[in-house]
């Protein structure tokens, strides 16, 4: 059988926690292998696992956004979801612009109060 992965995987026996969207539920799992692109998880009921979830891996001190690629017996193959290159920077830029606009609005309100004799 030929290897279809573009990155090598590392066999592991790590504890993991699948965090359901909304944070209301979680289940424990075992991370059987890990690569830059995804993981193979051993968990009891794979039908209960949503198609998109966060995976907490204490040994990596990280939480990964995942999407299910395959399900078989008690195992799940999941890929890591990465934002498009520059998407995070664009998001921060948009947040900064919104905060600057909010700041200007508040400054105008303060100036209007000072002009009306509030200060």
């Amino acid at each position: 059988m030929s290897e279809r992965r573009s990155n090598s995987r590392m066999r592991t026996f790590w504890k993991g926690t699948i965090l359901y969207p909304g944070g209301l539920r979680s289940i424990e799992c075992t991370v059987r292998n890990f690569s830059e692109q995804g993981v193979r998880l051993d968990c009891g009921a794979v039908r209960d696992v949503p198609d998109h979830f966060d995976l907490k891996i204490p040994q990596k001190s990280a939480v990964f956004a995942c999407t299910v690629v395959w399900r078989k017996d008690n195992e799940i193959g999941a890929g890591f979801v990465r934002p498009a290159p520059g998407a995070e920077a664009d998001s921060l830029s948009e947040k900064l612009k919104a905060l600057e606009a909010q700041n200007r609005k508040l400054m105008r309100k303060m100036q209007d109060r000072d002009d009306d004799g509030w200060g």
Side-chain angles (χ1 to χ4, degrees):
M1 185 171 178
S2 65
E3 180 65 45
R4 294 184 295 174
R5 290 174 189 82
S6 59
N7 291 7
S8 63
R9 61 183 171 177
M10 173 176 56
R11 286 188 180 195
T12 63
F13 193 72
W14 295 336
K15 175 184 173 184
T17 304
I18 294 172
L19 307 170
Y20 284 61
L24 298 177
R25 187 171 173 210
S26 65
I27 60 171
E28 300 299 316
C29 64
T30 302
V31 181
R32 293 294 185 181
N33 66 43
F34 181 90
S35 75
E36 288 182 27
Q37 294 180 327
V39 291
R40 180 171 57 103
L41 305 174
D42 185 351
C43 49
V46 298
R47 288 186 182 131
D48 291 344
V49 176
D51 291 335
H52 303 279
F53 60 88
D54 287 337
L55 175 65
K56 181 178 180 181
I57 303 177
Q59 288 83 346
K60 298 291 281 180
S61 299
V63 176
F64 301 89
C66 297
T67 186
V68 174
V69 177
W70 56 265
R71 300 171 193 259
K72 184 177 179 185
D73 299 326
N74 291 334
E75 294 186 327
I76 292 175
F80 297 137
V81 178
R82 292 192 174 92
E88 187 174 323
D90 289 344
S91 175
L92 290 175
S93 176
E94 292 300 317
K95 286 179 184 177
L96 181 59
K97 286 178 187 176
L99 288 172
E100 287 172 340
Q102 184 180 18
N103 189 35
R104 284 192 299 275
K105 184 177 178 181
L106 290 171
M107 293 299 281
R108 279 193 301 272
K109 278 187 176 182
M110 289 175 54
Q111 184 64 40
D112 291 345
R113 284 187 177 176
D114 287 344
D115 291 345
D116 290 339
W118 283 86

